[in-house]
Amino acid sequence: MNLENTQVQMRKGVLEFCILSIIARGEVYASDMLEELTNAKIMVVEGTLYPLLTRLRKAGLVDYKWVESISGPPRKYYTLTDKGNQFLQGLRSTWNELVTSTNTIVNHV
Amino acid sequence: MNLENTQVQMRKGVLEFCILSIIARGEVYASDMLEELTNAKIMVVEGTLYPLLTRLRKAGLVDYKWVESISGPPRKYYTLTDKGNQFLQGLRSTWNELVTSTNTIVNHV
DNA sequence: AAAAAATACTTGGTATTACAAGGTACTTTA
DNA sequence: TAAAGTACCTTGTAATACCAAGTATTTTTT
């Protein structure tokens, strides 16, 4: 049990929330997401992101379309479905409740 | 993929942080922790808590002593070790960073 | 006193999932 | 044409929350 491992654990679940939030703002492809997550210091690697995107699509939360790139292979651009939008709203509540609950515990006098 | 499942995922890792925080405030046994976590709306069941406490003890973060109860079987009262205290301080940083990072993503305009 | 309920802790088994490592395919550059 | 870059995918592993059932002790009920 080390700190790094716990950091990984803490991020689980939150990742899904972040990715759906990013897609909600406009069409993006995987590298866009990776860049934004990295900028926010939420470290994710391809091996995590791609399977997660596949899961989200199978769950009907996101959709994608192939778009030719002017410099490189085609990309999958993702968008949120109606269902994904509803789900995201639920996640916002869940996240806020988690933060509140956790702060209640750890700041308890 | 459903909302409940994601709520579970979000809580992972945070649990460790909450439990160490509770133990840091004074000697408690498992039912005390369950009650406090439940009050804060962080749902945990025995099957989650006991293995987690065992992991924390094996990692040298917590220690316990048996104490006779005036009404029921003896209880394991937990305390934080020095190592556990240091670890908890690291978790505080990790938690604050996670909240900041996540809010950066999801509140991005 | 025996049976039932309550309290407290423990233990397999399963499902989920982040990550490492390696792979496929296409495009651009040297 | 070869090398480098870009983009997406897949297999295997480790960690761990939860379910379900079990053990042990004490208290309450019959």
Side-chain angles (χ1 to χ4, degrees):
Chain A
M1 175 161 308
N2 60 355
L3 193 56
E4 272 181 36
N5 188 23
T6 303
Q7 290 172 334
V8 169
Q9 290 306 314
M10 276 197 181
R11 274 209 332 265
K12 288 185 181 182
V14 175
L15 254 187
E16 216 168 281
F17 179 38
C18 288
I19 287 167
L20 288 174
S21 297
I22 291 174
I23 297 175
R25 295 203 304 269
E27 297 191 353
V28 282
Y29 74 111
S31 295
D32 289 334
M33 304 181 210
L34 280 174
E35 189 188 341
E36 186 155 350
L37 291 166
T38 301
N39 285 344
K41 304 234 175 75
I42 295 185
M43 298 308 169
V44 191
V45 293
E46 288 188 331
T48 299
L49 183 58
Y50 283 109
L52 177 50
L53 288 172
T54 301
R55 280 203 305 279
L56 293 173
R57 192 186 56 73
K58 280 185 183 160
L61 303 181
V62 301
D63 205 352
Y64 69 83
K65 61 180 178 192
W66 284 101
V67 175
E68 297 290 328
S69 168
I70 50 166
S71 64
R75 304 162 174 174
K76 278 185 175 176
Y77 274 84
Y78 285 86
T79 49
L80 223 58
T81 63
D82 286 348
K83 190 176 171 189
N85 225 317
Q86 289 171 3
F87 192 82
L88 177 56
Q89 288 178 39
L91 283 186
R92 287 200 184 105
S93 300
T94 299
W95 168 248
N96 288 327
E97 284 161 18
L98 178 70
V99 172
T100 301
S101 296
T102 303
N103 286 335
T104 297
I105 295 282
V106 305
N107 298 327
H108 190 272
V109 195
Chain B
M1 174 162 308
N2 58 356
L3 191 56
E4 273 182 34
N5 187 24
T6 304
Q7 289 172 334
V8 169
Q9 291 305 316
M10 275 197 181
R11 276 208 330 265
K12 289 184 179 179
V14 175
L15 254 188
E16 216 170 281
F17 179 38
C18 288
I19 287 167
L20 288 175
S21 296
I22 291 174
I23 297 175
R25 296 204 304 269
E27 298 191 352
V28 283
Y29 75 111
S31 295
D32 290 335
M33 303 181 211
L34 279 174
E35 190 188 340
E36 185 153 352
L37 292 167
T38 302
N39 285 344
K41 305 234 174 75
I42 296 185
M43 299 307 170
V44 191
V45 293
E46 287 187 331
T48 300
L49 182 58
Y50 283 108
L52 177 50
L53 288 171
T54 302
R55 278 205 306 281
L56 293 173
R57 191 186 56 72
K58 280 184 184 160
L61 303 182
V62 302
D63 206 352
Y64 69 83
K65 60 182 177 192
W66 284 101
V67 175
E68 297 292 326
S69 167
I70 49 167
S71 64
R75 303 163 173 173
K76 278 185 175 176
Y77 274 84
Y78 285 86
T79 49
L80 222 60
T81 63
D82 286 349
K83 191 177 172 187
N85 226 318
Q86 289 172 1
F87 192 83
L88 177 57
Q89 288 178 38
L91 283 185
R92 288 200 184 104
S93 300
T94 298
W95 169 248
N96 289 327
E97 284 161 18
L98 177 70
V99 173
T100 302
S101 294
T102 302
N103 287 335
T104 298
I105 295 282
V106 305
N107 298 328
H108 189 271
V109 195

